[in-house]
Structures are given as C-alpha cells and as structure tokens.
Amino acid sequence: MEFPKIFDDEFYIKCINLATSSKGNERYGSILVLDSKIIGEGYNRAIVHPALEKLERRIRQGMANHAEIEALNDALFKGNKTENSDVYVAGYFPNSKRLFFKTEYTCVKCLPHLRNYEISNIYVPTPGGWIKKDLNEAYEEAKKFVNGTHQKRLEAMRGEFYISQLNL
Ligand SMILES: [Zn+2]
C-alpha cells in the first residue's frame, strides 16, 4: 500500500515501514535510537482472530502490544542498553488511509515502561516533522489527558490499571 510521506526522514520512513507489518486498524511502527543508531524496532501487534471478534473493542485493545514496547523489548533482547535512548513512533490507519500525527504524546500505557528503562525523549510525527518531547513533558501531557475531557473515554478504553501506573 502506498502512503504519502508527510516528511522525508530516515527514521520516519523506517517507522512507517515497520507499521506495514501490523495487522490491525491502527498500525504503528517504533524505533529506539541511541547516538543516531537504531538499537530496537517493533510494530503494534493487534490480535486478529475470528474468536476475538465478539469481544468488546476496549478488551481487544488492551490485549495488543504497542509498538513502543515492542521496540523496547527488541532492544533489551538484543542486549542493548536503553538508557538515554530516544523513542520514535509513527503510523497510519489503513481503512481511512490516514496518517497518524499529533503534537502531543499521551500514551499512558507505554509511558511508565519508557520511564523505567530511562528513555530520554519521545519523537512524535506532525506534518512538519518530528516533535521532540522529554519524558517529563510527556508525563505532564498524559496527566492533562487523564484529568481532562478524555478521562471517561480513557477509563472506558484502558481501565484504571494504566491510570494508576502514572501515580496521579
Ligand atoms: Zn503506547
């Protein structure tokens, strides 16, 4: 499937290429980068099986591994040190043929893990290029997300487990 590139960047193209291996309606690729070198890579793994079709969407989502965690696990399995590395995440929605981009990072599922492994920054794609967030900034944004208008939706989608991980 051909997608328009929103910006020409080696890491962005790498993330999108990884995302094409994903099977779900939301496809993300992610890499861990240290000193300009890719030390881990992954894509989100939605579980696609007819038996699971009957389950609620939020339950299926909870069962999926996010691309960021797959990239982190890949780096760890390869024996790479993750301290001070940066996470890049990008993706697309195949049904609507839209690219994923946003100016804030609010993934409360991955944030605690990225902090545990001392990731420095998260790069999020926008039409103009990557936006860099340090972990503290990302936490502040996630708190606003959790405390704000999205709270009910977030609770419904992800349950209290992820929210409590943030120690809000
Ligand atoms: Zn995530």
Side-chain angles (χ1 to χ4, degrees):
M1 204 185 298
E2 272 295 309
F3 283 91
K5 285 186 287 186
I6 54 170
F7 56 96
D8 199 2
D9 173 81
E10 180 197 344
F11 291 158
Y12 180 74
I13 293 162
K14 177 73 181 169
C15 286
I16 291 292
N17 282 337
L18 284 163
T20 61
S21 294
S22 184
K23 300 273 190 291
N25 295 329
E26 299 178 25
R27 301 180 183 183
Y28 302 100
S30 181
I31 52 174
L32 231 64
V33 175
L34 184 64
D35 299 329
S36 306
K37 205 175 142 245
I38 296 172
I39 59 164
E41 58 185 56
Y43 55 88
N44 67 312
R45 290 168 187 266
I47 301 166
V48 181
H49 189 279
L52 300 176
E53 293 297 314
K54 291 179 195 129
L55 295 176
E56 285 176 57
R57 182 169 183 264
R58 68 185 174 94
I59 294 173
R60 290 201 308 269
Q61 280 185 331
M63 293 165 75
N65 271 3
H66 283 199
E68 304 98 299
I69 298 304
E70 291 287 324
L72 180 60
N73 285 344
D74 184 49
L76 295 169
F77 282 132
K78 287 171 176 165
N80 292 324
K81 287 216 183 302
T82 58
E83 290 90 348
N84 304 315
S85 65
D86 295 328
V87 166
Y88 292 73
V89 60
Y92 64 94
F93 311 109
N95 293 349
S96 57
K97 294 190 164 48
R98 279 185 303 124
L99 290 159
F100 162 82
F101 61 85
K102 60 197 302 189
T103 54
E104 71 281 340
Y105 177 86
T106 51
C107 181
V108 292
K109 181 169 179 173
C110 295
L111 209 40
H113 302 289
L114 300 180
R115 175 176 267 187
N116 283 346
Y117 287 94
E118 298 177 48
I119 308 302
S120 288
N121 302 294
I122 298 163
Y123 284 81
V124 188
T126 73
W130 295 109
I131 283 188
K132 177 180 163 184
K133 305 275 170 187
D134 67 35
L135 262 271
N136 290 332
E137 255 182 288
Y139 253 79
E140 289 310 309
E141 284 173 353
K143 278 186 195 173
K144 280 188 216 155
F145 183 79
V146 171
N147 293 330
T149 53
H150 298 294
Q151 185 170 6
K152 281 201 166 63
R153 179 175 158 264
L154 192 79
E155 281 171 357
M157 282 173 61
R158 298 182 178 165
E160 288 178 3
F161 173 69
Y162 300 119
I163 293 167
S164 64
Q165 278 185 320
L166 281 171
N167 298 319
L168 296 176

